[in-house]
Amino acid sequence: MKDLFNSSHRSWLYRVLMAIFVLAIAAAVALPNYITGNWKWATPPKVPHQSQLREVKDTGLSLSPWQTIEHYAGKISGYAWSIQTVAPNETIAPMDEAISIQAQNPAVVLLRPQTWYRDMPQVEWMDINGVQKWKTDQKTTLTFTVSPDANSGDNSRTPEPTGDRPIQVNTRFFRGWNRQQTYAVMQWYAWPTGGSSSASRWFWVDQLTQLRDHHRMPWVAVSVLVPIKPLGDIQSARSTAEALAQQVQATLIHDVFSGDA
């Protein structure tokens, strides 16, 4: 009985000491914040490049050698999007049959930039499908890369460092059609060091960025629509869609995710 009492006493003492130890660590972390008033949860994580992200919504992107036919800011499911129609200029050699089709029906680039620190990618693809009233099929994935030193846009700006590795982007690629038009559609979330059609992929990159750099990972939802023949095969427009998507990602890296944060 005495041994049992001593064992219980030691267990109780151990729990008390552990509680004191935990409280001491918490106090050591909290006391400097209490004195300075600099609580981390009182200051939301910053979104870099906010002025450039807002400009995307208002002006779109300069996608040379693609010519902008028309641009306007519109709303899709209550969110502000940049809506830009583009066509290849005469310097682009024909890559596939989509080039000739675009002479009558330009490609469309839809962009929704992050607007504030709590703005996270959610249901952008469903919103676009809804407003287009599309039927979709031929769904697949397509991966492309962009060189971190790709010549794009305003070269006086320096993009965020990515090393010498090519920047990889994973997209969803499918056929969407309604009564007016059939498109080969490519969609992804773009950020300074990569891109993916999956919002969860951005989430983990964002969490790592907050831990390492103490700011959010900025993003832009991108939807590229390349016109094809009615109910045509999306592979007929693959090279055109990929070339335009690469230009969009490179321009975002150099002209939006760059300069003053």
Side-chain angles (χ1 to χ4, degrees):
M1 180 69 69
K2 183 177 179 181
D3 290 341
L4 178 63
F5 174 80
N6 288 337
S7 176
S8 299
H9 178 72
R10 285 195 300 271
S11 177
W12 174 85
L13 181 61
Y14 175 77
R15 289 196 297 269
V16 170
L17 290 175
M18 284 299 298
I20 293 172
F21 178 70
V22 171
L23 287 172
I25 292 176
V29 172
L31 188 59
N33 291 328
Y34 178 79
I35 294 172
T36 62
N38 185 27
W39 298 99
K40 287 188 177 181
W41 57 80
T43 305
K46 180 181 177 183
V47 178
H49 317 303
Q50 276 286 270
S51 61
Q52 293 97 308
L53 288 166
R54 293 191 201 98
E55 189 176 346
V56 167
K57 173 174 58 73
D58 297 330
T59 64
L61 299 177
S62 176
L63 296 171
S64 177
W66 298 78
Q67 298 176 342
T68 296
I69 307 302
E70 183 183 13
H71 175 270
Y72 62 95
K75 286 203 170 182
I76 300 176
S77 297
Y79 293 102
W81 285 75
S82 163
I83 302 171
Q84 185 173 356
T85 56
V86 299
N89 66 21
E90 296 177 356
T91 65
I92 300 180
M95 291 175 281
D96 49 44
E97 68 181 39
I99 291 291
S100 60
I101 295 173
Q102 286 174 32
Q104 293 79 34
N105 300 283
V108 182
V109 177
L110 304 174
L111 305 167
R112 182 171 105 74
Q114 184 180 21
T115 55
W116 67 312
Y117 76 96
R118 285 188 178 176
D119 192 11
M120 295 185 289
Q122 298 180 45
V123 291
E124 283 71 26
W125 313 147
M126 293 176 60
D127 290 344
I128 292 176
N129 286 1
V131 75
Q132 291 285 343
K133 298 180 180 179
W134 274 335
K135 293 181 180 180
T136 61
D137 62 5
Q138 296 188 13
K139 298 176 183 178
T140 185
T141 58
L142 193 151
T143 299
F144 65 83
T145 59
V146 175
S147 172
D149 59 353
N151 185 16
S152 172
D154 182 359
N155 295 322
S156 65
R157 293 180 177 178
T158 303
E160 293 187 0
T162 58
D164 296 328
R165 301 185 311 274
I167 295 170
Q168 182 170 296
V169 177
N170 302 308
T171 74
R172 62 199 305 254
F173 188 45
F174 63 92
R175 183 173 68 178
W177 79 93
N178 53 33
R179 292 183 178 181
Q180 288 74 42
Q181 183 66 55
T182 302
Y183 289 105
V185 183
M186 192 175 295
Q187 296 175 327
W188 75 98
Y189 296 104
W191 57 82
T193 57
S196 174
S197 60
S198 171
S200 63
R201 174 60 181 157
W202 170 86
F203 173 81
W204 292 114
V205 173
D206 178 62
Q207 293 299 302
L208 178 61
T209 302
Q210 289 189 58
L211 289 172
R212 183 188 60 202
D213 302 325
H214 309 294
H215 64 71
R216 304 301 299 264
M217 175 62 79
W219 57 272
V220 175
V222 183
S223 191
V224 170
L225 286 58
V226 177
I228 59 177
K229 293 178 179 179
L231 299 181
D233 187 346
I234 60 172
Q235 294 303 320
S236 68
R238 173 171 175 165
S239 60
T240 298
E242 187 171 352
L244 180 54
Q246 287 175 314
Q247 189 64 37
V248 169
Q249 179 77 23
T251 302
L252 286 171
I253 291 170
H254 285 262
D255 291 359
V256 177
F257 302 133
S258 61
D260 297 334

